[in-house]
């Protein structure tokens, strides 16, 4: 018989950390994101931008995971908005999160398909994308520590490649070893807002940790430590990678990064260690993207499952495997939706990189980061309404208020530079399509919440309040005990 709870105690703090960092896709950021930041802005202070954004997200994270820890909900943004602001807003936030994870997850299929075509020189991008979708679908159904272990192995390899590149870039630097790119004067120049916008997009994925709270071993403390550790690690790691790239090019050459065909990380490794090393690094880029897609798939699946369990979405999505380790129906639905998106872009002949990857990834980043900022306000209201426990003043008041203000400033910078994020020419107004689409999704979510308020008000009363029963929920570590 189908269960309505997920197996508890199956993912430890390290596994939670892995899922967050994998979603951020470090190798993709190092190979594509950071060179694009330098090329688009010409700002030497890219490393400092990563540190700045990491600091703001860390403050936001304190309040967010602090409040989410009192819920242990598989759809944390939905639950926090529902209990901190209003049930209708919570439903709208859940719909936005679903669209955000679907958008950023499916955007990677265009990147992966074109990367494999470039690597092997044959096939259609969509055919490779569908093959990757099958892999992600299997990973989504596996569940348990096997999935985390596989993604952890891929993450370890890609981090090793980045470290290898950093050492190589520093050894082959064009000038003296300098830390000038970390000075405020390197970032406080025209183009700073665009640099911060790109840096914010690179962090998408670290907010997924609370979605595994129901399955976490160690409860709320493990979730809190894992998410904050992921933010800190990603910020430092990206800053070091960007710094090594700027040192390699020389401070006077950062504007050429991205346009220099031989200066990228993969090209540098190929030039120094031979084409075989470059091909291996490219293959690892492919596995990095697959790992990120799997992580976003898992997060989106849990939102579908949790919202269906509370009656906001069709009930069949709340069914799980016999062991309770996998939300089967939600996972298959997530796979089907991704397949439809891939098919839509393939049939229309849209550019898988310039349109599919760029627009969908930007849409997902804007929606998810905006939700994270609003979550600070929801966390403040959550604690102010008497919910929570014996939490510190930092967690209840200071972090949510400060995080909201600072996050709002960063979001303004991001929205003001959507044209650059989308690669549009100066003066183009096509970037307005993206916020219009995001607003349409928000209004759709609010409308659905309004409908439920009228036709089934009992559903709204349970928004964010249905969690795993510690007595009846399957616990992986106890499943083999003989009584």
């Amino acid at each position: 018989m189908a269960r309505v709870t997920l197996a508890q105690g199956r993912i430890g703090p390290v596994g939670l950390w892995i899922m967050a960092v994998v979603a951020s896709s470090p190798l993709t950021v190092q190979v594509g994101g950071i060179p694009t930041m330098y090329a688009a802005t010409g700002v030497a202070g890219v490393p400092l931008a990563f540190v700045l954004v990491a600091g703001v997200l860390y403050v936001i994270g304190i309040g967010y995971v602090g409040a989410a820890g009192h819920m242990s909900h598989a759809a944390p943004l939905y639950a926090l908005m529902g209990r901190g602001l209003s049930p209708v807003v919570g439903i709208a936030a859940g719909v936005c999160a679903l669209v955000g994870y679907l958008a950023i997850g499916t955007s990677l299929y265009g990147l992966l398909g074109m990367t494999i075509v470039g690597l092997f020189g044959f096939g259609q991008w969509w055919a490779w994308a569908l093959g990757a979708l099958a892999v992600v679908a299997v990973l989504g159904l596996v569940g348990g520590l096997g999935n985390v272990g596989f993604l952890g192995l891929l993450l370890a390899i890609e981090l090793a490649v980045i470290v290898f590149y950093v050492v190589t870039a520093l050894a082959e630097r064009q000038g003296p070893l300098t830390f000038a790119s970390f000075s405020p004067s390197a970032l406080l120049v025209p183009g700073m807002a665009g640099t911060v916008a790109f840096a914010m997009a690179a962090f998408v994925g670290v907010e997924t940790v609370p979605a595994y709270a129901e399955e976490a071993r160690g409860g709320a403390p493990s979730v809190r430590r894992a998410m904050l550790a992921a933010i800190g690690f990603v910020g430092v790691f990206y800053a070091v990678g960007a710094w090594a790239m700027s040192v390699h090019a020389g401070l006077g050459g950062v504007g050429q990064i991205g346009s220099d065909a031989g200066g990228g990380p993969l090209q540098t490794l190929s030039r120094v260690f031979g084409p075989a090393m470059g091909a291996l690094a490219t293959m690892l880029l492919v596995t990095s993207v697959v790992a990120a897609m799997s992580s976003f798939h898992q997060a989106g699946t849990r939102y579908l499952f949790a919202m269906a369990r509370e009656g906001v979405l069709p009930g069949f999505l709340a069914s799980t495997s016999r062991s309770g380790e996998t939300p089967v129906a939600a996972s298959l639905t997530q796979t089907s939706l991704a397949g439809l998106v891939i098919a839509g872009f393939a049939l229309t002949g849209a550019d898988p990189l310039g349109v599919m990857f760029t627009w969908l990834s930007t849409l997902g980043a804007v929606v998810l980061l905006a939700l994270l900022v609003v979550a600070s306000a929801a966390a403040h209201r959550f604690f102010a309404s008497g919910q929570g426990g014996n939490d510190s003043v930092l967690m209840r008041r200071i972090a949510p208020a400060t995080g909201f203000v600072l996050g709002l400033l960063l979001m303004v910078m991001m929205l003001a530079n959507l044209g650059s994020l989308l690669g549009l020419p100066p003066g183009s107004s096509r970037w307005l399509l993206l916020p219009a689409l995001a607003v349409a999704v928000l209004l759709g979510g609010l409308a659905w919440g309004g409908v439920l308020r009228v036709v089934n008000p009992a559903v709204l009363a349970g928004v964010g309040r249905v969690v795993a029963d510690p007595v009846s929920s399957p616990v992986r570590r106890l499943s083999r005990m003989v009584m």
Side-chain angles (χ1 to χ4, degrees):
M1 187 175 72
R3 300 177 187 268
V4 293
T5 58
L6 297 174
Q8 296 183 43
R10 68 186 178 118
I11 306 178
V14 175
L16 296 170
W17 179 87
I18 286 172
M19 296 300 287
V21 178
V22 159
S24 185
S25 192
L27 192 56
T28 304
V29 173
Q30 184 68 51
V31 171
I34 294 175
T36 300
M37 291 173 69
Y38 280 119
T41 66
V43 174
V46 169
L48 182 58
F50 281 118
V51 175
L52 174 66
V53 172
V56 173
L57 291 180
Y58 195 92
V59 174
I60 292 175
I62 292 174
Y64 171 47
V65 295
H70 291 288
M71 304 175 200
S72 295
H73 202 280
L77 289 167
Y78 152 85
L80 178 56
M81 305 285 191
R83 293 178 59 175
L85 298 178
S86 79
V88 172
V89 172
I91 293 171
V95 171
C96 289
L98 285 170
V99 171
Y101 285 125
L102 180 65
I104 200 164
T106 52
S107 74
L108 295 171
Y109 286 100
L111 172 64
L112 179 137
M114 291 302 294
T115 300
I116 298 180
V117 169
L119 182 63
F120 295 113
F122 67 90
Q124 299 292 325
W125 73 267
W126 53 264
W128 292 110
L130 291 176
L133 178 63
V135 174
V136 172
V138 171
L139 290 174
L141 295 175
V142 167
L145 294 177
N147 197 359
V148 174
F150 176 71
L151 296 181
L153 176 62
L154 295 182
L155 176 63
I157 296 173
E158 68 173 288
L159 292 181
V161 170
I162 296 174
V163 171
F164 206 48
Y165 163 73
V166 168
V167 173
T168 303
L170 295 178
E172 281 211 320
R173 62 184 183 273
Q174 300 298 314
L177 190 65
T178 174
F179 294 93
S181 55
F182 285 102
S183 66
S185 61
L187 182 60
L188 297 174
V189 296
M192 171 188 170
T195 304
V196 171
F198 276 102
M200 283 192 70
F203 280 84
V204 173
V206 296
E207 82 292 336
T208 59
V209 174
Y212 304 96
E214 187 171 311
E215 307 154 78
R217 185 166 62 250
S222 291
V223 173
R224 181 172 62 252
R225 288 193 293 266
M227 179 172 168
L228 296 180
I231 294 173
F233 174 83
V234 167
V236 172
F237 205 76
Y238 289 169
V240 170
W243 167 69
M245 193 174 292
S246 68
V247 171
H248 180 254
L251 285 179
V254 294
Q256 301 302 314
I257 297 176
S259 59
D260 180 4
L266 299 183
Q267 292 76 15
T268 298
L269 291 173
S270 296
R271 185 177 65 255
V272 175
F273 300 101
M277 182 58 155
L280 175 62
T282 304
M283 283 300 300
L284 292 174
L285 174 61
V286 171
T287 60
S288 170
V289 174
V290 171
M293 290 188 297
S294 178
S295 186
F296 285 120
H297 174 93
Q298 298 281 357
T301 291
R302 276 147 184 79
Y303 271 80
L304 285 172
F305 164 80
M307 294 171 68
R309 184 170 58 183
E310 296 184 352
V312 174
L313 295 177
F316 77 92
L317 293 171
S319 63
T320 71
S321 61
R322 183 177 297 274
S323 65
E325 293 193 357
T326 306
V328 177
S331 183
L332 293 175
T333 300
Q334 188 82 347
T335 300
S336 300
L337 292 173
L340 290 175
V341 173
I342 294 171
F345 278 94
L347 291 174
T348 57
D351 182 357
L353 286 178
V355 178
M356 182 177 182
F357 172 66
T358 301
W359 280 77
L360 287 183
S361 63
T362 304
L363 173 63
V366 168
V367 169
L368 292 170
L369 290 170
L371 286 174
L372 200 56
V373 172
V374 178
S376 289
H380 191 276
R381 285 283 305 276
F382 175 84
F383 287 119
S385 64
Q387 302 181 78
N390 187 26
D391 303 285
S392 66
V393 175
L394 173 65
M395 184 179 294
R396 290 186 291 111
R397 297 181 180 178
I398 298 176
T402 305
F404 177 75
V405 173
L406 295 178
L408 191 61
L409 291 175
L410 294 187
M411 280 304 303
V412 169
M413 293 184 186
M414 191 174 195
L415 293 174
N417 287 272
L418 279 181
S420 297
L421 288 171
L422 296 170
L424 298 176
S428 174
S429 60
R430 284 191 294 157
W431 64 270
L432 291 170
L433 293 173
L434 195 144
L437 181 58
V439 170
V441 172
L442 173 63
L443 293 177
L446 291 172
W448 178 239
V451 170
L452 290 176
R453 181 185 292 278
V454 174
V455 302
N456 197 349
V459 169
L460 268 73
V463 167
R465 298 182 182 277
V466 178
V467 297
D469 180 357
V471 176
S472 63
S473 177
V475 180
R476 182 181 178 88
R477 291 175 296 159
L478 302 180
S479 61
R480 296 181 177 87
M481 290 185 65
V482 178
M483 301 298 290

